[in-house]
Amino acid sequence: MLDLREALELTALIAEHDRPRSQRYTVRWFVRYLNAADAPTIDEVAFIGACLAALGGQSHAEALSVLRAMAGR
């Protein structure tokens, strides 16, 4: 089974190459993050959601960088 960081890399790769298909992976990663996080605030949840939505778009690299930092906590 992939750990959270590995799953993020897979999600980001799929978002770059097949954005419509990536939605399922993005939601799955988000749920995994929420289950692993230690009581995230609503602001953190909203921010992470926005970063996930940016994967595969013009801000892909920036969003992925933030998500990597969040997943590494």
Side-chain angles (χ1 to χ4, degrees):
M1 179 172 209
L2 298 175
D3 69 22
L4 191 60
R5 283 177 247 147
E6 292 169 332
L8 174 60
E9 297 302 324
L10 178 61
T11 299
L13 184 63
I14 293 169
E16 279 189 301
H17 296 284
D18 190 354
R19 197 156 184 195
R21 181 176 162 224
S22 73
Q23 296 221 4
R24 183 174 76 236
Y25 288 85
T26 301
V27 170
R28 188 176 299 151
W29 187 87
F30 199 25
V31 169
R32 285 184 66 180
Y33 173 81
L34 292 174
N35 287 329
D38 185 29
T41 66
I42 191 65
D43 292 337
E44 290 173 329
V45 170
F47 184 60
I48 291 168
C51 288
L52 287 168
L55 292 178
Q58 291 181 337
S59 299
H60 177 90
E62 293 86 354
L64 182 54
S65 178
V66 169
L67 290 166
R68 284 174 175 151
M70 298 298 284
R73 286 191 191 183

Short mmCIF file of all heavy atoms in Angstrom, two decimals:
data_model
loop_
_atom_site.label_atom_id
_atom_site.label_comp_id
_atom_site.label_asym_id
_atom_site.label_seq_id
_atom_site.Cartn_x
_atom_site.Cartn_y
_atom_site.Cartn_z
N MET A 1 0.84 -1.18 0.00
CA MET A 1 0.00 0.00 0.00
C MET A 1 0.89 1.24 0.00
O MET A 1 1.91 1.28 0.67
CB MET A 1 -0.90 -0.01 1.23
CG MET A 1 -1.80 1.18 1.32
SD MET A 1 -2.96 0.94 2.67
CE MET A 1 -4.30 1.88 2.05
N LEU A 2 0.48 2.25 -0.74
CA LEU A 2 1.23 3.49 -0.83
C LEU A 2 1.05 4.31 0.44
O LEU A 2 -0.04 4.35 1.01
CB LEU A 2 0.72 4.34 -2.00
CG LEU A 2 0.85 3.77 -3.40
CD1 LEU A 2 0.19 4.70 -4.40
CD2 LEU A 2 2.30 3.55 -3.76
N ASP A 3 2.13 5.00 0.85
CA ASP A 3 1.96 5.93 1.96
C ASP A 3 1.37 7.23 1.41
O ASP A 3 1.18 7.38 0.19
CB ASP A 3 3.25 6.13 2.74
CG ASP A 3 4.34 6.90 1.99
OD1 ASP A 3 4.04 7.64 1.03
OD2 ASP A 3 5.51 6.76 2.37
N LEU A 4 1.09 8.17 2.29
CA LEU A 4 0.40 9.41 1.89
C LEU A 4 1.20 10.20 0.86
O LEU A 4 0.65 10.71 -0.11
CB LEU A 4 0.13 10.26 3.14
CG LEU A 4 -0.79 11.45 2.97
CD1 LEU A 4 -2.17 11.03 2.50
CD2 LEU A 4 -0.88 12.23 4.27
N ARG A 5 2.51 10.28 1.05
CA ARG A 5 3.35 11.04 0.11
C ARG A 5 3.42 10.37 -1.26
O ARG A 5 3.37 11.03 -2.29
CB ARG A 5 4.73 11.25 0.69
CG ARG A 5 4.72 12.34 1.75
CD ARG A 5 6.06 12.51 2.40
NE ARG A 5 5.86 12.07 3.77
CZ ARG A 5 6.75 11.47 4.52
NH1 ARG A 5 7.94 11.22 4.08
NH2 ARG A 5 6.47 11.11 5.75
N GLU A 6 3.55 9.05 -1.27
CA GLU A 6 3.58 8.32 -2.54
C GLU A 6 2.24 8.46 -3.27
O GLU A 6 2.22 8.63 -4.49
CB GLU A 6 3.89 6.85 -2.30
CG GLU A 6 5.28 6.58 -1.81
CD GLU A 6 5.47 5.15 -1.32
OE1 GLU A 6 4.49 4.52 -0.86
OE2 GLU A 6 6.61 4.68 -1.40
N ALA A 7 1.17 8.37 -2.52
CA ALA A 7 -0.17 8.52 -3.12
C ALA A 7 -0.35 9.92 -3.71
O ALA A 7 -0.98 10.08 -4.76
CB ALA A 7 -1.25 8.23 -2.08
N LEU A 8 0.23 10.92 -3.06
CA LEU A 8 0.16 12.29 -3.58
C LEU A 8 0.90 12.38 -4.92
O LEU A 8 0.41 13.00 -5.87
CB LEU A 8 0.75 13.28 -2.58
CG LEU A 8 0.86 14.72 -3.08
CD1 LEU A 8 -0.51 15.29 -3.44
CD2 LEU A 8 1.56 15.58 -2.03
N GLU A 9 2.07 11.78 -5.00
CA GLU A 9 2.85 11.82 -6.24
C GLU A 9 2.09 11.15 -7.38
O GLU A 9 2.07 11.66 -8.51
CB GLU A 9 4.22 11.17 -6.05
CG GLU A 9 5.11 11.89 -5.05
CD GLU A 9 5.40 13.34 -5.39
OE1 GLU A 9 5.54 13.68 -6.59
OE2 GLU A 9 5.49 14.15 -4.45
N LEU A 10 1.45 10.04 -7.09
CA LEU A 10 0.64 9.36 -8.10
C LEU A 10 -0.54 10.22 -8.52
O LEU A 10 -0.84 10.37 -9.70
CB LEU A 10 0.16 8.00 -7.57
CG LEU A 10 -0.75 7.21 -8.51
CD1 LEU A 10 -0.02 6.88 -9.81
CD2 LEU A 10 -1.23 5.94 -7.83
N THR A 11 -1.19 10.83 -7.55
CA THR A 11 -2.34 11.71 -7.83
C THR A 11 -1.91 12.88 -8.72
O THR A 11 -2.59 13.22 -9.69
CB THR A 11 -2.94 12.22 -6.50
OG1 THR A 11 -3.38 11.10 -5.75
CG2 THR A 11 -4.09 13.17 -6.74
N ALA A 12 -0.77 13.48 -8.40
CA ALA A 12 -0.27 14.61 -9.18
C ALA A 12 0.09 14.19 -10.60
O ALA A 12 -0.20 14.92 -11.56
CB ALA A 12 0.94 15.23 -8.49
N LEU A 13 0.69 13.03 -10.74
CA LEU A 13 1.06 12.53 -12.07
C LEU A 13 -0.19 12.29 -12.92
O LEU A 13 -0.23 12.68 -14.09
CB LEU A 13 1.86 11.24 -11.91
CG LEU A 13 2.42 10.63 -13.18
CD1 LEU A 13 3.43 11.57 -13.83
CD2 LEU A 13 3.06 9.29 -12.87
N ILE A 14 -1.19 11.70 -12.33
CA ILE A 14 -2.43 11.45 -13.07
C ILE A 14 -3.09 12.78 -13.44
O ILE A 14 -3.61 12.94 -14.55
CB ILE A 14 -3.37 10.54 -12.26
CG1 ILE A 14 -2.76 9.14 -12.16
CG2 ILE A 14 -4.77 10.48 -12.90
CD1 ILE A 14 -3.46 8.22 -11.18
N ALA A 15 -3.06 13.76 -12.53
CA ALA A 15 -3.65 15.07 -12.81
C ALA A 15 -2.98 15.75 -13.99
O ALA A 15 -3.63 16.42 -14.78
CB ALA A 15 -3.57 15.96 -11.57
N GLU A 16 -1.68 15.55 -14.13
CA GLU A 16 -0.95 16.16 -15.25
C GLU A 16 -1.30 15.52 -16.58
O GLU A 16 -1.29 16.19 -17.61
CB GLU A 16 0.56 16.04 -15.03
CG GLU A 16 1.13 17.06 -14.12
CD GLU A 16 2.64 17.02 -14.11
OE1 GLU A 16 3.20 15.95 -13.77
OE2 GLU A 16 3.24 18.04 -14.44
N HIS A 17 -1.61 14.24 -16.57
CA HIS A 17 -1.79 13.51 -17.82
C HIS A 17 -3.24 13.18 -18.16
O HIS A 17 -3.54 12.93 -19.34
CB HIS A 17 -0.95 12.23 -17.79
CG HIS A 17 0.51 12.52 -17.72
ND1 HIS A 17 1.24 12.95 -18.81
CD2 HIS A 17 1.38 12.50 -16.68
CE1 HIS A 17 2.49 13.16 -18.44
NE2 HIS A 17 2.60 12.89 -17.15
N ASP A 18 -4.11 13.17 -17.17
CA ASP A 18 -5.51 12.82 -17.43
C ASP A 18 -6.38 13.49 -16.36
O ASP A 18 -6.86 12.84 -15.44
CB ASP A 18 -5.68 11.30 -17.39
CG ASP A 18 -7.05 10.84 -17.86
OD1 ASP A 18 -7.92 11.69 -18.12
OD2 ASP A 18 -7.24 9.61 -17.97
N ARG A 19 -6.54 14.80 -16.52
CA ARG A 19 -7.23 15.57 -15.48
C ARG A 19 -8.63 15.06 -15.16
O ARG A 19 -8.98 14.97 -13.98
CB ARG A 19 -7.26 17.05 -15.86
CG ARG A 19 -7.58 17.90 -14.67
CD ARG A 19 -7.07 19.28 -14.83
NE ARG A 19 -7.34 20.00 -13.59
CZ ARG A 19 -7.28 21.28 -13.48
NH1 ARG A 19 -6.97 22.01 -14.51
NH2 ARG A 19 -7.53 21.86 -12.33
N PRO A 20 -9.48 14.72 -16.14
CA PRO A 20 -10.80 14.21 -15.77
C PRO A 20 -10.74 12.95 -14.90
O PRO A 20 -11.48 12.82 -13.94
CB PRO A 20 -11.45 13.91 -17.12
CG PRO A 20 -10.77 14.80 -18.09
CD PRO A 20 -9.34 14.88 -17.59
N ARG A 21 -9.84 12.06 -15.21
CA ARG A 21 -9.68 10.82 -14.43
C ARG A 21 -9.11 11.10 -13.04
O ARG A 21 -9.38 10.37 -12.09
CB ARG A 21 -8.76 9.88 -15.19
CG ARG A 21 -8.54 8.57 -14.50
CD ARG A 21 -7.70 7.65 -15.38
NE ARG A 21 -7.14 6.59 -14.56
CZ ARG A 21 -5.90 6.17 -14.64
NH1 ARG A 21 -5.08 6.70 -15.52
NH2 ARG A 21 -5.47 5.21 -13.87
N SER A 22 -8.36 12.18 -12.91
CA SER A 22 -7.67 12.47 -11.66
C SER A 22 -8.62 12.84 -10.53
O SER A 22 -8.25 12.75 -9.35
CB SER A 22 -6.65 13.59 -11.85
OG SER A 22 -7.29 14.83 -12.00
N GLN A 23 -9.83 13.24 -10.84
CA GLN A 23 -10.75 13.67 -9.78
C GLN A 23 -10.97 12.56 -8.75
O GLN A 23 -11.00 12.82 -7.55
CB GLN A 23 -12.07 14.13 -10.39
CG GLN A 23 -11.86 15.34 -11.25
CD GLN A 23 -12.93 16.37 -11.08
OE1 GLN A 23 -13.82 16.23 -10.26
NE2 GLN A 23 -12.83 17.41 -11.86
N ARG A 24 -11.13 11.35 -9.23
CA ARG A 24 -11.35 10.23 -8.32
C ARG A 24 -10.14 10.04 -7.40
O ARG A 24 -10.27 9.82 -6.20
CB ARG A 24 -11.63 8.96 -9.12
CG ARG A 24 -11.95 7.76 -8.27
CD ARG A 24 -12.36 6.55 -9.11
NE ARG A 24 -11.19 5.94 -9.73
CZ ARG A 24 -11.06 5.75 -11.05
NH1 ARG A 24 -12.01 6.09 -11.88
NH2 ARG A 24 -9.97 5.18 -11.52
N TYR A 25 -8.94 10.14 -7.96
CA TYR A 25 -7.72 9.98 -7.19
C TYR A 25 -7.53 11.14 -6.20
O TYR A 25 -7.08 10.95 -5.07
CB TYR A 25 -6.50 9.89 -8.11
CG TYR A 25 -6.44 8.59 -8.84
CD1 TYR A 25 -7.13 8.40 -10.04
CD2 TYR A 25 -5.70 7.52 -8.34
CE1 TYR A 25 -7.09 7.20 -10.71
CE2 TYR A 25 -5.64 6.32 -9.01
CZ TYR A 25 -6.34 6.16 -10.19
OH TYR A 25 -6.30 4.96 -10.85
N THR A 26 -7.88 12.33 -6.64
CA THR A 26 -7.75 13.51 -5.80
C THR A 26 -8.64 13.40 -4.57
O THR A 26 -8.20 13.65 -3.45
CB THR A 26 -8.10 14.78 -6.60
OG1 THR A 26 -7.21 14.87 -7.72
CG2 THR A 26 -7.95 16.03 -5.76
N VAL A 27 -9.87 13.01 -4.77
CA VAL A 27 -10.79 12.85 -3.65
C VAL A 27 -10.30 11.76 -2.71
O VAL A 27 -10.32 11.92 -1.48
CB VAL A 27 -12.23 12.58 -4.14
CG1 VAL A 27 -13.14 12.17 -3.00
CG2 VAL A 27 -12.78 13.79 -4.87
N ARG A 28 -9.83 10.67 -3.26
CA ARG A 28 -9.32 9.57 -2.44
C ARG A 28 -8.13 10.03 -1.61
O ARG A 28 -8.02 9.72 -0.42
CB ARG A 28 -8.92 8.39 -3.33
CG ARG A 28 -8.57 7.15 -2.54
CD ARG A 28 -8.28 5.97 -3.43
NE ARG A 28 -9.46 5.63 -4.21
CZ ARG A 28 -9.41 5.06 -5.41
NH1 ARG A 28 -8.26 4.74 -5.96
NH2 ARG A 28 -10.51 4.78 -6.06
N TRP A 29 -7.21 10.81 -2.22
CA TRP A 29 -6.07 11.31 -1.47
C TRP A 29 -6.52 12.26 -0.37
O TRP A 29 -6.01 12.21 0.76
CB TRP A 29 -5.07 12.01 -2.39
CG TRP A 29 -3.82 12.37 -1.63
CD1 TRP A 29 -2.74 11.56 -1.44
CD2 TRP A 29 -3.57 13.56 -0.90
NE1 TRP A 29 -1.82 12.20 -0.63
CE2 TRP A 29 -2.31 13.43 -0.29
CE3 TRP A 29 -4.28 14.74 -0.71
CZ2 TRP A 29 -1.74 14.43 0.49
CZ3 TRP A 29 -3.72 15.74 0.09
CH2 TRP A 29 -2.46 15.58 0.67
N PHE A 30 -7.48 13.11 -0.67
CA PHE A 30 -7.99 14.08 0.31
C PHE A 30 -8.57 13.36 1.53
O PHE A 30 -8.29 13.73 2.68
CB PHE A 30 -9.04 14.95 -0.36
CG PHE A 30 -9.34 16.25 0.35
CD1 PHE A 30 -8.43 16.87 1.18
CD2 PHE A 30 -10.56 16.87 0.15
CE1 PHE A 30 -8.71 18.07 1.81
CE2 PHE A 30 -10.85 18.06 0.77
CZ PHE A 30 -9.93 18.67 1.60
N VAL A 31 -9.31 12.31 1.31
CA VAL A 31 -9.88 11.53 2.41
C VAL A 31 -8.75 10.90 3.23
O VAL A 31 -8.79 10.92 4.47
CB VAL A 31 -10.87 10.47 1.88
CG1 VAL A 31 -11.26 9.49 2.98
CG2 VAL A 31 -12.09 11.15 1.29
N ARG A 32 -7.76 10.36 2.55
CA ARG A 32 -6.62 9.77 3.27
C ARG A 32 -5.91 10.82 4.11
O ARG A 32 -5.51 10.57 5.25
CB ARG A 32 -5.62 9.15 2.30
CG ARG A 32 -6.11 7.82 1.73
CD ARG A 32 -5.07 7.17 0.86
NE ARG A 32 -3.91 6.77 1.65
CZ ARG A 32 -2.85 6.18 1.15
NH1 ARG A 32 -2.79 5.91 -0.14
NH2 ARG A 32 -1.84 5.85 1.92
N TYR A 33 -5.73 12.01 3.55
CA TYR A 33 -5.09 13.09 4.29
C TYR A 33 -5.90 13.44 5.54
O TYR A 33 -5.35 13.57 6.64
CB TYR A 33 -4.91 14.34 3.42
CG TYR A 33 -4.40 15.50 4.23
CD1 TYR A 33 -3.05 15.62 4.53
CD2 TYR A 33 -5.28 16.45 4.75
CE1 TYR A 33 -2.59 16.66 5.32
CE2 TYR A 33 -4.83 17.49 5.54
CZ TYR A 33 -3.48 17.59 5.81
OH TYR A 33 -3.02 18.61 6.62
N LEU A 34 -7.20 13.60 5.39
CA LEU A 34 -8.06 13.96 6.52
C LEU A 34 -8.02 12.89 7.61
O LEU A 34 -8.04 13.22 8.79
CB LEU A 34 -9.49 14.20 6.05
CG LEU A 34 -9.69 15.44 5.17
CD1 LEU A 34 -11.11 15.48 4.65
CD2 LEU A 34 -9.34 16.72 5.93
N ASN A 35 -7.97 11.63 7.22
CA ASN A 35 -7.89 10.55 8.20
C ASN A 35 -6.56 10.53 8.93
O ASN A 35 -6.48 10.14 10.10
CB ASN A 35 -8.15 9.20 7.54
CG ASN A 35 -9.59 9.00 7.18
OD1 ASN A 35 -10.49 9.51 7.83
ND2 ASN A 35 -9.83 8.26 6.12
N ALA A 36 -5.51 10.97 8.26
CA ALA A 36 -4.17 10.95 8.86
C ALA A 36 -3.85 12.23 9.63
O ALA A 36 -3.00 12.22 10.52
CB ALA A 36 -3.13 10.74 7.77
N ALA A 37 -4.51 13.32 9.29
CA ALA A 37 -4.19 14.62 9.89
C ALA A 37 -4.64 14.68 11.34
O ALA A 37 -5.62 14.05 11.74
CB ALA A 37 -4.85 15.74 9.09
N ASP A 38 -3.91 15.47 12.10
CA ASP A 38 -4.24 15.66 13.51
C ASP A 38 -5.11 16.90 13.65
O ASP A 38 -4.60 18.01 13.80
CB ASP A 38 -2.95 15.80 14.32
CG ASP A 38 -3.22 15.88 15.82
OD1 ASP A 38 -4.23 15.32 16.28
OD2 ASP A 38 -2.40 16.50 16.51
N ALA A 39 -6.41 16.71 13.56
CA ALA A 39 -7.41 17.77 13.73
C ALA A 39 -7.13 19.00 12.86
O ALA A 39 -6.86 20.08 13.37
CB ALA A 39 -7.51 18.17 15.20
N PRO A 40 -7.20 18.86 11.53
CA PRO A 40 -6.96 20.02 10.68
C PRO A 40 -8.06 21.07 10.87
O PRO A 40 -9.21 20.73 11.16
CB PRO A 40 -7.02 19.44 9.26
CG PRO A 40 -7.88 18.23 9.40
CD PRO A 40 -7.60 17.69 10.77
N THR A 41 -7.69 22.32 10.72
CA THR A 41 -8.67 23.40 10.82
C THR A 41 -9.43 23.51 9.51
O THR A 41 -8.99 22.99 8.48
CB THR A 41 -7.98 24.75 11.11
OG1 THR A 41 -7.19 25.11 9.96
CG2 THR A 41 -7.11 24.69 12.36
N ILE A 42 -10.54 24.21 9.55
CA ILE A 42 -11.33 24.40 8.33
C ILE A 42 -10.52 25.20 7.31
O ILE A 42 -10.63 24.96 6.10
CB ILE A 42 -12.69 25.07 8.62
CG1 ILE A 42 -13.60 25.03 7.40
CG2 ILE A 42 -12.51 26.48 9.13
CD1 ILE A 42 -14.02 23.64 6.97
N ASP A 43 -9.67 26.10 7.77
CA ASP A 43 -8.82 26.86 6.85
C ASP A 43 -7.83 25.94 6.14
O ASP A 43 -7.61 26.08 4.93
CB ASP A 43 -8.06 27.97 7.59
CG ASP A 43 -8.97 29.07 8.09
OD1 ASP A 43 -10.08 29.24 7.54
OD2 ASP A 43 -8.57 29.76 9.05
N GLU A 44 -7.23 25.02 6.88
CA GLU A 44 -6.30 24.07 6.27
C GLU A 44 -7.02 23.17 5.27
O GLU A 44 -6.50 22.91 4.18
CB GLU A 44 -5.64 23.20 7.34
CG GLU A 44 -4.67 23.94 8.21
CD GLU A 44 -4.16 23.10 9.37
OE1 GLU A 44 -4.90 22.24 9.88
OE2 GLU A 44 -3.01 23.34 9.78
N VAL A 45 -8.20 22.71 5.64
CA VAL A 45 -8.97 21.84 4.75
C VAL A 45 -9.31 22.57 3.45
O VAL A 45 -9.16 22.03 2.36
CB VAL A 45 -10.24 21.32 5.46
CG1 VAL A 45 -11.17 20.63 4.50
CG2 VAL A 45 -9.85 20.40 6.61
N ALA A 46 -9.75 23.82 3.57
CA ALA A 46 -10.09 24.61 2.38
C ALA A 46 -8.85 24.86 1.52
O ALA A 46 -8.90 24.77 0.29
CB ALA A 46 -10.73 25.93 2.79
N PHE A 47 -7.73 25.16 2.16
CA PHE A 47 -6.50 25.44 1.44
C PHE A 47 -6.02 24.19 0.69
O PHE A 47 -5.64 24.26 -0.49
CB PHE A 47 -5.44 25.93 2.42
CG PHE A 47 -4.15 26.34 1.78
CD1 PHE A 47 -4.10 27.37 0.84
CD2 PHE A 47 -2.97 25.71 2.11
CE1 PHE A 47 -2.91 27.75 0.24
CE2 PHE A 47 -1.77 26.09 1.53
CZ PHE A 47 -1.75 27.11 0.59
N ILE A 48 -6.05 23.06 1.35
CA ILE A 48 -5.63 21.82 0.71
C ILE A 48 -6.57 21.47 -0.43
O ILE A 48 -6.13 21.05 -1.50
CB ILE A 48 -5.54 20.68 1.74
CG1 ILE A 48 -4.37 20.96 2.68
CG2 ILE A 48 -5.38 19.33 1.07
CD1 ILE A 48 -4.33 20.09 3.89
N GLY A 49 -7.86 21.68 -0.24
CA GLY A 49 -8.82 21.45 -1.31
C GLY A 49 -8.52 22.31 -2.53
O GLY A 49 -8.58 21.84 -3.67
N ALA A 50 -8.18 23.56 -2.29
CA ALA A 50 -7.83 24.46 -3.40
C ALA A 50 -6.57 24.00 -4.11
O ALA A 50 -6.48 24.04 -5.34
CB ALA A 50 -7.67 25.89 -2.89
N CYS A 51 -5.59 23.55 -3.34
CA CYS A 51 -4.34 23.06 -3.95
C CYS A 51 -4.61 21.80 -4.77
O CYS A 51 -4.07 21.65 -5.88
CB CYS A 51 -3.30 22.77 -2.88
SG CYS A 51 -2.61 24.27 -2.14
N LEU A 52 -5.44 20.91 -4.26
CA LEU A 52 -5.78 19.71 -5.02
C LEU A 52 -6.50 20.06 -6.31
O LEU A 52 -6.25 19.45 -7.35
CB LEU A 52 -6.63 18.76 -4.17
CG LEU A 52 -5.88 18.05 -3.05
CD1 LEU A 52 -6.86 17.38 -2.10
CD2 LEU A 52 -4.90 17.04 -3.61
N ALA A 53 -7.37 21.05 -6.25
CA ALA A 53 -8.09 21.49 -7.45
C ALA A 53 -7.14 22.08 -8.49
O ALA A 53 -7.41 22.02 -9.69
CB ALA A 53 -9.18 22.49 -7.09
N ALA A 54 -6.02 22.63 -8.03
CA ALA A 54 -5.06 23.26 -8.95
C ALA A 54 -4.16 22.24 -9.65
O ALA A 54 -3.50 22.57 -10.64
CB ALA A 54 -4.20 24.26 -8.19
N LEU A 55 -4.10 21.02 -9.14
CA LEU A 55 -3.26 20.01 -9.78
C LEU A 55 -3.70 19.79 -11.22
O LEU A 55 -4.89 19.67 -11.50
CB LEU A 55 -3.31 18.69 -9.02
CG LEU A 55 -2.67 18.67 -7.65
CD1 LEU A 55 -2.85 17.30 -7.00
CD2 LEU A 55 -1.20 19.04 -7.70
N GLY A 56 -2.75 19.74 -12.11
CA GLY A 56 -3.04 19.54 -13.52
C GLY A 56 -3.27 20.83 -14.27
O GLY A 56 -3.39 20.84 -15.49
N GLY A 57 -3.33 21.95 -13.55
CA GLY A 57 -3.57 23.25 -14.18
C GLY A 57 -2.30 24.08 -14.22
O GLY A 57 -1.19 23.58 -14.04
N GLN A 58 -2.48 25.39 -14.42
CA GLN A 58 -1.34 26.30 -14.55
C GLN A 58 -0.50 26.40 -13.28
O GLN A 58 0.69 26.67 -13.34
CB GLN A 58 -1.82 27.69 -14.96
CG GLN A 58 -2.35 27.75 -16.36
CD GLN A 58 -2.80 29.16 -16.72
OE1 GLN A 58 -3.10 29.97 -15.85
NE2 GLN A 58 -2.85 29.44 -18.01
N SER A 59 -1.12 26.20 -12.14
CA SER A 59 -0.41 26.31 -10.86
C SER A 59 -0.04 24.95 -10.29
O SER A 59 0.15 24.81 -9.07
CB SER A 59 -1.27 27.09 -9.87
OG SER A 59 -1.52 28.38 -10.34
N HIS A 60 0.08 23.96 -11.15
CA HIS A 60 0.35 22.59 -10.71
C HIS A 60 1.59 22.51 -9.82
O HIS A 60 1.52 21.93 -8.73
CB HIS A 60 0.51 21.68 -11.93
CG HIS A 60 0.85 20.26 -11.57
ND1 HIS A 60 -0.11 19.32 -11.34
CD2 HIS A 60 2.05 19.65 -11.38
CE1 HIS A 60 0.47 18.16 -11.03
NE2 HIS A 60 1.78 18.34 -11.06
N ALA A 61 2.69 23.06 -10.25
CA ALA A 61 3.95 22.93 -9.50
C ALA A 61 3.85 23.56 -8.12
O ALA A 61 4.31 22.98 -7.13
CB ALA A 61 5.10 23.55 -10.30
N GLU A 62 3.25 24.74 -8.05
CA GLU A 62 3.12 25.43 -6.77
C GLU A 62 2.20 24.65 -5.83
O GLU A 62 2.49 24.49 -4.64
CB GLU A 62 2.58 26.85 -6.98
CG GLU A 62 3.53 27.77 -7.71
CD GLU A 62 3.42 27.67 -9.24
OE1 GLU A 62 2.68 26.80 -9.76
OE2 GLU A 62 4.08 28.48 -9.90
N ALA A 63 1.08 24.17 -6.37
CA ALA A 63 0.13 23.42 -5.56
C ALA A 63 0.76 22.13 -5.05
O ALA A 63 0.60 21.78 -3.88
CB ALA A 63 -1.13 23.12 -6.38
N LEU A 64 1.49 21.45 -5.90
CA LEU A 64 2.13 20.21 -5.51
C LEU A 64 3.17 20.45 -4.43
O LEU A 64 3.29 19.68 -3.47
CB LEU A 64 2.76 19.51 -6.72
CG LEU A 64 3.42 18.16 -6.45
CD1 LEU A 64 2.46 17.19 -5.75
CD2 LEU A 64 3.93 17.57 -7.76
N SER A 65 3.90 21.53 -4.53
CA SER A 65 4.89 21.87 -3.51
C SER A 65 4.23 22.06 -2.14
O SER A 65 4.73 21.55 -1.12
CB SER A 65 5.63 23.15 -3.92
OG SER A 65 6.55 23.53 -2.94
N VAL A 66 3.13 22.76 -2.10
CA VAL A 66 2.40 22.97 -0.85
C VAL A 66 1.87 21.64 -0.32
O VAL A 66 1.99 21.35 0.89
CB VAL A 66 1.24 23.97 -1.05
CG1 VAL A 66 0.33 24.00 0.16
CG2 VAL A 66 1.79 25.36 -1.35
N LEU A 67 1.28 20.85 -1.19
CA LEU A 67 0.72 19.57 -0.75
C LEU A 67 1.82 18.63 -0.24
O LEU A 67 1.59 17.91 0.75
CB LEU A 67 -0.05 18.91 -1.91
CG LEU A 67 -1.35 19.62 -2.28
CD1 LEU A 67 -1.86 19.12 -3.61
CD2 LEU A 67 -2.39 19.45 -1.19
N ARG A 68 2.98 18.65 -0.86
CA ARG A 68 4.09 17.84 -0.36
C ARG A 68 4.45 18.24 1.06
O ARG A 68 4.71 17.39 1.91
CB ARG A 68 5.30 17.98 -1.28
CG ARG A 68 5.19 17.21 -2.55
CD ARG A 68 6.35 17.51 -3.47
NE ARG A 68 6.33 16.69 -4.65
CZ ARG A 68 6.83 17.06 -5.82
NH1 ARG A 68 7.44 18.24 -5.94
NH2 ARG A 68 6.77 16.26 -6.86
N ALA A 69 4.49 19.55 1.29
CA ALA A 69 4.82 20.03 2.64
C ALA A 69 3.76 19.61 3.64
O ALA A 69 4.08 19.20 4.76
CB ALA A 69 4.97 21.55 2.61
N MET A 70 2.50 19.70 3.25
CA MET A 70 1.41 19.32 4.16
C MET A 70 1.42 17.82 4.42
O MET A 70 1.16 17.38 5.54
CB MET A 70 0.07 19.75 3.59
CG MET A 70 -0.10 21.26 3.41
SD MET A 70 0.00 22.18 4.93
CE MET A 70 -1.59 21.83 5.63
N ALA A 71 1.71 17.03 3.42
CA ALA A 71 1.71 15.57 3.56
C ALA A 71 2.89 15.10 4.40
O ALA A 71 2.83 14.03 5.00
CB ALA A 71 1.73 14.89 2.19
N GLY A 72 3.93 15.90 4.46
CA GLY A 72 5.12 15.52 5.19
C GLY A 72 5.07 15.83 6.67
O GLY A 72 5.98 15.51 7.41
N ARG A 73 4.03 16.46 7.12
CA ARG A 73 3.91 16.82 8.54
C ARG A 73 3.79 15.62 9.41
O ARG A 73 3.14 14.69 9.16
CB ARG A 73 2.67 17.68 8.77
CG ARG A 73 2.82 19.08 8.29
CD ARG A 73 1.67 19.82 8.83
NE ARG A 73 1.54 21.13 8.26
CZ ARG A 73 0.62 21.98 8.64
NH1 ARG A 73 -0.24 21.65 9.55
NH2 ARG A 73 0.54 23.16 8.10
#
